């Protein structure tokens, strides 16, 4: 009976979330605390900031986080005078704040002009009352510039969009100086990764994608030419480049079958790189037999290339592992591994490409050759 009641409870939770809408439901089930002010000045020549408002910040994070040259994307509130506002306050009071995202990026890899190109393809710039299903002043679109160069670039970009006559009606997106940016509550950060089911429900019912597909057509998903070491691809290019299982794993978070994948029992020396971008991820020196039927590692080869994200799908809390540059789903990490880390990075072979140690120099991974002078005990 207890198991039955728990099952009924889970069904009710899903039903309530669907009825109220994921965004309202999230605010109902999470404690809303004061937001945190973060930097709003450009840091140095390798780190610049861009701030955009485009309605629901859940929907504005994904397109920017996937770009080469972007260090981070933070969801938050800006534009108003009230200090440390909460989500509830921004939603229910006239605080003057809007939901926005602040992007930290490398201007040597991706330009502000390119960020603006992506921004315009996420919003309805003619809507002065909100964005899509979200109505109210906290959901209006806006560009918050951090210096005069950004101001001029944004103004020119807006003019070009208006002259293109792509949208019916006046372009009402405001361009204004950046104010203090307040980082939103933690449960709003990377919501699309941590709560995939509710995010997909919200997004598919918001009207955003239908509008943007009609407005931009084939131009909606542009491929930016950046100065990144790692290539990026459009969705159509990925479908051509990858096998069915590689696409399902890396792009749709699928899991391949245990003991029937390419690398679960691979004992050769070398490194494992992202199947999409080629960024180095793990080494055979940290691979071990976990008995799970998937390739398992105790630690990343390049920590900066491996991103860990909270995953609450399937009604459980897990830690998802993704690649930094390609944003490929790799697998999950668990705290039941061997020493010295105690971690088990359980990955899908379909997300990886193996580079044997004898081919490292030839394939552009010469910096890792020296790691294979000796083989550590227990490594495969």
């Amino acid at each position: 009976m207890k198991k039955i009641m728990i099952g009924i409870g889970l069904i009710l939770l899903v039903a309530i979330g669907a009825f109220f809408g994921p965004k309202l439901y999230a605010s109902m089930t999470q404690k809303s605390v004061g937001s945190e002010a973060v930097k709003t000045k450009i840091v140095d020549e390798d780190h610049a900031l861009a701030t955009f408002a485009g309605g629901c910040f859940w929907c504005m994070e994904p397109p920017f986080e996937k770009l080469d040259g972007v260090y981070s994307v933070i969801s938050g509130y800006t534009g108003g005078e009230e200090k440390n506002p909460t989500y509830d306050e921004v939603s229910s009071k006239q605080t003057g704040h809007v939901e926005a995202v602040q992007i930290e990026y490398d201007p040597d890899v991706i330009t502000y002009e390119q960020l603006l190109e992506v921004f315009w393809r996420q919003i309805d710039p003619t809507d002065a009352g909100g964005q899509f299903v979200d109505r109210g002043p906290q959901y209006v679109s806006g560009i918050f510039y951090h210096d005069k160069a950004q101001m001029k670039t944004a103004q020119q970009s807006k003019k070009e969009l208006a002259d293109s006559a792509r949208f019916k009606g006046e372009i009402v997106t405001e361009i204004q100086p950046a104010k203090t940016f307040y980082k939103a509550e933690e449960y709003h950060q990377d919501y699309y990764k941590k709560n995939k089911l509710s995010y997909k429900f919200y997004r598919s019912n918001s009207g955003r994608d239908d509008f943007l597909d009609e407005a931009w057509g084939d131009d909606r998903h542009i491929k930016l030419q950046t100065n990144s070491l790692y290539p990026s691809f459009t969705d159509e290019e990925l479908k051509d480049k990858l096998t069915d299982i590689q696409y399902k794993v890396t792009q749709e978070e699928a899991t391949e079958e245990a003991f029937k994948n390419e690398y679960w029992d691979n004992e050769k020396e070398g490194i494992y790189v992202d199947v999409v971008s080629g960024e180095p991820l793990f080494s055979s020196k940290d691979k071990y037999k976990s008995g799970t039927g998937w390739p398992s590692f105790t630690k990343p080869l390049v920590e900066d290339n491996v991103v860990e994200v909270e995953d609450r799908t399937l009604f459980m809390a897990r830690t998802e592992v993704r690649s930094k540059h390609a944003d490929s789903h790799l697998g999950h990490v668990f705290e039941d591994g061997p020493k010295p880390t105690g971690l088990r990075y359980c990955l899908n072979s379909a997300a990886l490409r193996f580079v044997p140690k004898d081919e490292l120099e030839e394939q552009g991974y010469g910096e890792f050759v020296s790691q294979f002078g000796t083989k550590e005990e227990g490594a495969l």
Side-chain angles (χ1 to χ4, degrees), residues 66-78:
K66 295 178 180 180
L67 298 177
D68 293 332
V70 170
Y71 297 117
S72 66
V73 183
I74 300 173
S75 287
Y77 318 111
T78 194

Side-chain angles (χ1 to χ4, degrees), residues 179-196:
K179 291 187 176 181
T180 302
F181 186 92
Y182 295 95
K183 181 180 179 181
E185 294 83 346
E186 189 57 34
Y187 68 86
H188 285 303
Q189 308 301 324
D190 288 323
Y191 190 88
Y192 75 102
K193 292 180 180 178
K194 296 185 289 190
N195 301 276
K196 296 183 180 69

Side-chain angles (χ1 to χ4, degrees), residues 39 42-43 55 159 191 193 211 215 234 278 296 299:
K39 59 192 175 188
I42 293 178
V43 184
K159 181 180 183 302
Y191 190 88
K193 292 180 180 178
F211 175 87
T234 65
S296 300
K299 66 180 181 180

Side-chain angles (χ1 to χ4, degrees), residues 112 116 143-158 175-178:
Y112 188 65
L116 285 167
I143 299 171
F144 298 86
Y145 59 84
H146 292 264
D147 57 27
K148 289 184 178 180
Q150 284 192 354
M151 177 189 71
K152 292 180 180 179
T153 301
Q155 290 173 340
Q156 180 62 29
S157 179
K158 180 178 177 179
I175 300 173
Q176 53 188 299

Side-chain angles (χ1 to χ4, degrees), residues 95-200:
T95 62
H97 287 294
V98 295
E99 289 195 11
V101 291
Q102 183 160 284
I103 303 157
E104 186 169 350
Y105 66 100
D106 184 346
D108 289 332
V109 176
I110 187 169
T111 66
Y112 188 65
E113 290 92 335
Q114 290 175 315
L115 293 176
L116 285 167
E117 286 187 64
V118 175
F119 167 72
W120 292 122
R121 286 166 171 77
Q122 313 307 318
I123 69 168
D124 177 359
T126 66
D127 191 344
Q131 288 290 294
F132 312 106
V133 73
D134 294 314
R135 315 310 300 164
Q138 73 271 29
Y139 292 117
V140 299
S141 62
I143 299 171
F144 298 86
Y145 59 84
H146 292 264
D147 57 27
K148 289 184 178 180
Q150 284 192 354
M151 177 189 71
K152 292 180 180 179
T153 301
Q155 290 173 340
Q156 180 62 29
S157 179
K158 180 178 177 179
K159 181 180 183 302
E160 290 175 357
L161 185 66
D163 292 343
S164 72
R166 183 177 291 275
F167 295 94
K168 297 178 181 178
E170 180 186 359
I171 306 299
V172 297
T173 301
E174 291 192 16
I175 300 173
Q176 53 188 299
K179 291 187 176 181
T180 302
F181 186 92
Y182 295 95
K183 181 180 179 181
E185 294 83 346
E186 189 57 34
Y187 68 86
H188 285 303
Q189 308 301 324
D190 288 323
Y191 190 88
Y192 75 102
K193 292 180 180 178
K194 296 185 289 190
N195 301 276
K196 296 183 180 69
L197 294 179
S198 58
Y199 172 75
K200 288 180 179 178

Side-chain angles (χ1 to χ4, degrees), residues 324-340:
K324 164 63 179 175
H325 301 280
D327 193 35
S328 300
H329 169 75
L330 305 175
H332 292 82
V333 60
F334 303 93
E335 296 181 351
D336 58 6
K339 295 180 179 179

Side-chain angles (χ1 to χ4, degrees), residues 259-278:
F259 298 104
K260 293 183 179 180
N261 54 81
E262 189 172 3
Y263 301 128
W264 76 272
D265 60 347
N266 182 31
E267 298 186 7
K268 297 178 181 179
E269 288 188 291
I271 68 171
Y272 295 81
V273 303
D274 185 279
V275 72
V276 175
S277 65

